[in-house]
Amino acid sequence: MAMREKIEQAAARYPDQRSAIMPALLIAQREHGHLPGPVLEEIADILGVERIWVYELATFYTLFHTEPVGKFHLQLCDNVSCMLRRSEDLLTHLENVLGIKKGGTTGDGLFTLSTVECLGACEMAPVMQVGDDYHGNLDIERIDALLARLRAMVPHAAGADLAAVEPPGE
């Protein structure tokens, strides 16, 4: 089923098309990997809503990506609960192991590293979201094991060179 059909089907569940923007963004991001301007405009056109409404939601929530991200988007929480449990040490470790800074993507496109304000999982601090999955009670050993599992999911990545692509302006 084409993206348009999926969005129209999802939108049919809502009495106000504006309420369908978030499901439409999820559908489009699954289809395209991220949400560039033309995709956001297409969503607005499909739903018959103001383009600014679509742009506002796409750029507000860390769930949505207007720029390409790696196959595995590592989003480390840096809110107070995670910081108290030393998330900054985990960020430094991730930057060193992956050879990128926060906001960067590895040269092979496998990992993008970001921090987010709060993942709402303080009971498992420090916590990181990878795709739709949360990983909590993290320490360096658990981070290394997680990275190894993620790399193993991509056959060519086992011995891949992790040369970095830095974020713009760095």
Side-chain angles (χ1 to χ4, degrees), residues 2-164:
M3 182 182 82
R4 173 179 283 278
E5 293 173 65
K6 291 176 188 174
I7 290 173
E8 288 171 347
Q9 187 176 56
R13 296 186 302 232
Y14 297 93
D16 179 350
Q17 294 300 283
R18 189 172 183 179
S19 299
I21 294 172
M22 292 213 25
L25 289 168
L26 287 170
I27 290 166
Q29 185 164 272
R30 284 189 189 113
E31 175 110 1
H32 295 280
H34 69 289
L35 300 166
V39 172
L40 296 176
E41 292 169 7
E42 183 179 0
I43 291 168
D45 293 345
I46 292 168
L47 295 176
V49 299
E50 297 291 329
R51 288 179 174 180
I52 189 64
W53 295 347
V54 176
Y55 276 88
E56 287 172 340
L57 289 177
T59 57
F60 178 78
Y61 291 102
T62 59
L63 167 70
F64 301 119
H65 315 295
T66 57
E67 298 293 327
V69 295
K71 178 170 179 61
F72 302 109
H73 189 188
L74 311 175
Q75 297 180 89
L76 183 65
C77 180
D78 65 1
N79 206 324
V80 69
S81 296
C82 290
M83 285 178 62
L84 289 171
R85 305 263 341 256
R86 309 195 56 87
S87 64
E88 67 276 358
D89 293 343
L90 299 178
L91 176 61
T92 299
H93 179 72
L94 283 162
E95 288 176 334
N96 290 335
V97 167
L98 297 174
I100 57 175
K101 294 289 185 193
K102 174 178 75 171
T105 299
T106 56
D108 61 3
L110 205 55
F111 297 104
T112 295
L113 178 60
S114 302
T115 57
V116 292
E117 178 58 30
C118 183
L119 290 172
C122 300
E123 73 281 1
M124 7 190 275
V127 65
M128 181 169 61
Q129 183 176 352
V130 181
D132 294 333
D133 299 324
Y134 279 26
H135 302 272
N137 300 307
L138 293 173
D139 56 25
I140 288 174
E141 293 77 25
R142 287 186 173 150
I143 291 276
D144 290 344
L146 173 61
L147 293 176
R149 283 194 310 274
L150 295 172
R151 282 188 181 110
M153 294 172 67
V154 181
H156 75 280
D161 176 27
L162 293 178

